[in-house]
Amino acid sequence: MCWIIITSVISLTLFLIWASADIGSNVYLKTLCKGKTTKKVVTLTFDDGPDKEMTPRVLDILKEYNIKATFFLIGKNVEKHPDIVKRMVAEGHIIANHTHSHQGTFPMSSSKQVNNELENCDEAIRQATGKSPKLFRPPFGVTNPIIGNAVRKRGYSTIGWSIRSLDTIKGRSRKEVRDKVVAKLHPGAIILLHDRCEKADELLREIISAGKQNGYDFVSLKEILNIKAYEN
Ligand SMILES: [Zn+2]
């Protein structure tokens, strides 16, 4: 009897960890992690920007290849670099909400704090561009019932990923990251990258080049998911 209880508690704990930590679990929040298509099309997403140094270089490369990406922005960074965000919009990229301050404690926040994080990021983006985002990606991909409720109430579509590059992990070579991304390419893939990472521009160029060699086209998230990015 005792073992049954212990096993049940362990199983429940593991389930709750998975439900919170796996962006694709869909337990607390319906999350779109890939497109339904058989065509060899994929899309690029960048989190945590804009970064003063690296984001313009990433934008230069996207422009060179005429690729439209999606940027999940941190509100505080938007306030610091509104011109970079304006450039994203002018060049046809999608901008989206990734909370205002992206704190490690976000998953422990109260309902009011979560709502403020979402609203303040939206406001920063509105101030910079006049656009009200309808797409959201939770920091660290972590969700819980409080985040789930706040996001639903505000009417966002939550965007996950199907290929996590793990480009932020120190000690991994660019080649390792690139090879891992390329090995996982599949029709409708949503690729997660960070435009704040050192050499994000070089990594991007290598991923585009290897992806194209494998017959993949890099298209906009709108094309992959057929969704609206903004309020109006
Ligand atoms: Zn992030």
Side-chain angles (χ1 to χ4, degrees), residues 131-148:
K131 292 193 174 288
S132 287
K134 276 285 126 203
L135 305 180
F136 167 71
R137 175 176 280 165
F140 325 108
V142 173
T143 57
N144 62 32
I146 290 172
I147 297 171

Side-chain angles (χ1 to χ4, degrees), residues 43-208:
T43 196
L44 295 165
T45 67
F46 294 89
D47 286 12
D48 299 356
D51 176 83
K52 188 176 173 227
E53 304 296 328
M54 195 48 73
T55 307
R57 290 199 231 166
V58 163
L59 288 170
D60 287 346
I61 294 173
L62 293 171
K63 194 174 188 179
E64 188 184 322
Y65 288 93
N66 193 25
I67 291 171
K68 310 299 180 200
T70 302
F71 291 86
F72 290 90
L73 304 169
I74 295 176
K76 282 186 172 173
N77 293 345
V78 174
E79 288 173 349
K80 280 186 226 158
H81 312 296
D83 290 346
I84 302 177
V85 181
K86 283 191 181 84
R87 179 180 167 192
M88 288 170 178
V89 173
E91 294 182 359
H93 304 293
I94 293 172
I95 51 172
N97 188 316
H98 194 42
T99 73
H100 193 63
S101 47
H102 200 284
Q103 283 164 345
T105 52
F106 180 70
M108 275 84 84
S109 301
S110 67
S111 169
K112 194 176 172 201
Q113 287 166 327
V114 170
N115 193 60
N116 285 345
E117 278 290 316
L118 297 170
E119 172 54 26
N120 293 343
C121 181
D122 274 0
E123 183 55 23
I125 290 174
R126 271 195 298 268
Q127 288 291 330
T129 66
K131 292 193 174 288
S132 287
K134 276 285 126 203
L135 305 180
F136 167 71
R137 175 176 280 165
F140 325 108
V142 173
T143 57
N144 62 32
I146 290 172
I147 297 171
N149 278 338
V151 168
R152 267 190 301 277
K153 251 189 218 161
R154 296 179 62 88
Y156 301 104
S157 298
T158 305
I159 310 299
W161 54 80
S162 61
I163 301 179
R164 188 176 207 169
S165 64
L166 300 175
D167 53 350
T168 53
I169 294 178
K170 296 257 182 283
R172 293 180 88 226
S173 72
R174 209 167 66 243
K175 185 180 176 306
E176 256 178 287
V177 176
R178 178 202 64 197
D179 289 350
K180 185 136 194 193
V181 169
V182 173
K184 287 185 174 174
L185 287 175
H186 61 87
I190 298 175
I191 303 168
L192 166 62
L193 296 162
H194 293 83
D195 49 325
R196 64 176 162 83
C197 285
E198 201 186 332
K199 308 216 167 140
D201 52 343
E202 290 174 33
L203 174 65
L204 172 62
R205 191 183 286 284
E206 290 182 12
I207 288 173
I208 294 171

